[in-house]
């Protein structure tokens, strides 16, 4: 007999959010979008608030001009633009989600990007690598949660194994939206990439909780309430 995974990941917890009680009025995927967009923006705000004193600590201890100006640039970006950055991420996430949902999003694009990585300009290459770093950090921290979420979203997209789509709620969409938001501000690229690097360390823990709650939301909407795990 095959083992099963019930209640998303087998963990408890209540889903909270502006769309958590709208199950009868919106599609499951739209409900997930509203929920995740709000929660991710809140998580970004918390982590940016956490990052500012850390940047200041390094600035105070900096022994060289390069380190000082790198961290000062990142700090000034957040001090001057944090709320705008959070709003830009929210908009970019909605745009990226809908792009992947409707166009399939990027399975072919990812292969093309990998094939042509050496053709990118240096700044574009650094941004691509930073985006991948954030996506990989989220993925590696959320493997269990993503297993269920990929299965459930795949069913909703009529693509059970996500062969034609990325998961529009998944790590790559989040990471690309973050980079989209960063690119909208006049700051040195190295300072922007520093913020991305720090977020890759801190944000995945929050995203894991969001993915866990998304699974529970979908279970309540009767989207694969029990997932069979094949034995090898």
């Amino acid at each position: 007999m095959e083992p099963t995974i019930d209640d998303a990941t087998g963990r408890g917890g209540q889903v909270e959010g502006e769309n958590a009680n709208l199950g009868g009025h919106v599609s499951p995927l739209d409900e997930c979008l509203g929920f995740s967009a709000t929660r991710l923006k809140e998580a970004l705000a918390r982590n940016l608030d956490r990052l500012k004193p850390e940047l200041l600590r390094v600035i105070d201890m900096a022994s060289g001009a390069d380190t000082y100006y790198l961290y000062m640039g990142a700090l000034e970006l957040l001090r001057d633009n944090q709320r705008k950055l959070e709003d830009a991420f929210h908009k970019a996430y909605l745009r990226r989600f809908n792009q992947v949902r409707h166009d399939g999003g990027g399975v072919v694009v990812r292969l093309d990007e990998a094939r042509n990585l050496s053709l990118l300009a240096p700044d574009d290459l650094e941004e691509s690598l930073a985006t991948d770093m954030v996506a990989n950090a989220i993925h590696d921290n959320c493997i269990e949660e993503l297993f269920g979420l990929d299965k459930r979203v795949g069913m909703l997209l009529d693509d059970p194994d996500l062969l034609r789509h990325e998961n529009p709620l998944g790590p790559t969409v989040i990471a690309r939206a973050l980079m989209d938001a960063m690119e909208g501000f006049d700051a040195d690229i190295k300072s922007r990439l520093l913020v991305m690097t720090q977020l890759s360390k801190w944000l995945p823990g929050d995203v894991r909780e969001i993915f866990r709650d998304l699974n529970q939301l979908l279970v309540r909407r009767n989207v694969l309430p029990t997932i069979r795990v094949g034995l090898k």
Side-chain angles (χ1 to χ4, degrees):
M1 182 177 179
E2 293 180 322
T4 61
I5 296 177
D6 296 314
D7 188 27
T9 64
R11 297 184 176 92
Q14 296 297 316
V15 175
E16 298 176 357
E18 61 184 5
N19 289 324
N21 296 316
L22 297 180
H25 304 287
V26 297
S27 73
L29 204 51
D30 285 331
E31 185 176 358
C32 286
L33 171 59
F35 175 81
S36 61
T38 298
R39 287 280 299 274
L40 285 167
K41 183 179 178 182
E42 292 169 352
L44 178 61
R46 286 193 302 272
N47 282 280
L48 294 179
D49 285 339
R50 177 184 178 189
L51 178 54
K52 285 185 287 188
E54 179 64 18
L55 294 172
L56 186 58
R57 183 186 68 80
V58 176
I59 290 168
D60 289 341
M61 297 173 58
S63 58
D66 289 345
T67 300
Y68 176 88
Y69 286 113
L70 172 62
Y71 279 75
M72 181 58 75
L75 181 61
E76 289 176 347
L77 169 64
L78 299 187
R79 280 180 170 173
D80 296 342
N81 300 291
Q82 180 174 339
R83 297 297 173 253
K84 293 179 181 178
L85 181 59
E86 293 162 12
D87 289 340
F89 167 73
H90 186 263
K91 292 176 182 177
Y93 177 73
L94 296 176
R95 183 178 68 252
R96 287 284 185 178
F97 176 98
N98 285 312
Q99 181 183 48
V100 170
R101 178 185 187 178
H102 296 299
D103 299 338
V107 175
V108 174
V109 171
R110 285 201 304 271
L111 293 173
D112 288 343
E113 287 176 350
R115 190 177 300 120
N116 297 313
L117 202 58
S118 63
L119 302 180
L120 292 175
D123 286 356
D124 293 336
L125 176 59
E126 288 192 68
E127 290 181 348
S128 178
L129 293 174
T131 302
D132 289 344
M133 176 181 59
V134 173
N136 290 335
I138 294 172
H139 178 274
D140 292 346
N141 198 64
C142 305
I143 291 174
E144 184 179 353
E145 291 74 18
L146 276 169
F147 175 80
L149 191 61
D150 284 349
K151 293 292 185 184
R152 294 182 171 97
V153 170
M155 192 187 82
L156 293 173
L157 294 174
D158 195 25
D159 184 10
D161 295 318
L162 293 178
L163 298 178
R164 302 186 309 275
H165 296 78
E166 290 182 64
N167 184 341
L169 298 166
T172 300
V173 170
I174 296 170
R176 286 175 176 165
L178 277 172
M179 183 56 75
D180 289 346
M182 292 288 176
E183 289 175 343
F185 296 93
D186 184 19
D188 180 74
I189 183 172
K190 293 189 180 299
S191 295
R192 286 188 272 125
L193 295 178
L194 174 60
V195 174
M196 290 287 286
T197 298
Q198 295 301 316
L199 288 175
S200 74
K201 300 174 184 178
W202 296 343
L203 190 61
D206 288 319
V207 175
R208 185 178 185 183
E209 295 292 333
I210 294 168
F211 285 170
R212 187 178 302 163
D213 288 346
L214 285 169
N215 273 306
Q216 293 171 358
L217 184 158
L218 289 171
V219 166
R220 289 203 302 275
R221 296 295 300 268
N222 202 33
V223 179
L224 290 182
T226 299
I227 297 176
R228 293 190 174 276
V229 182
L231 292 175
K232 295 184 178 179

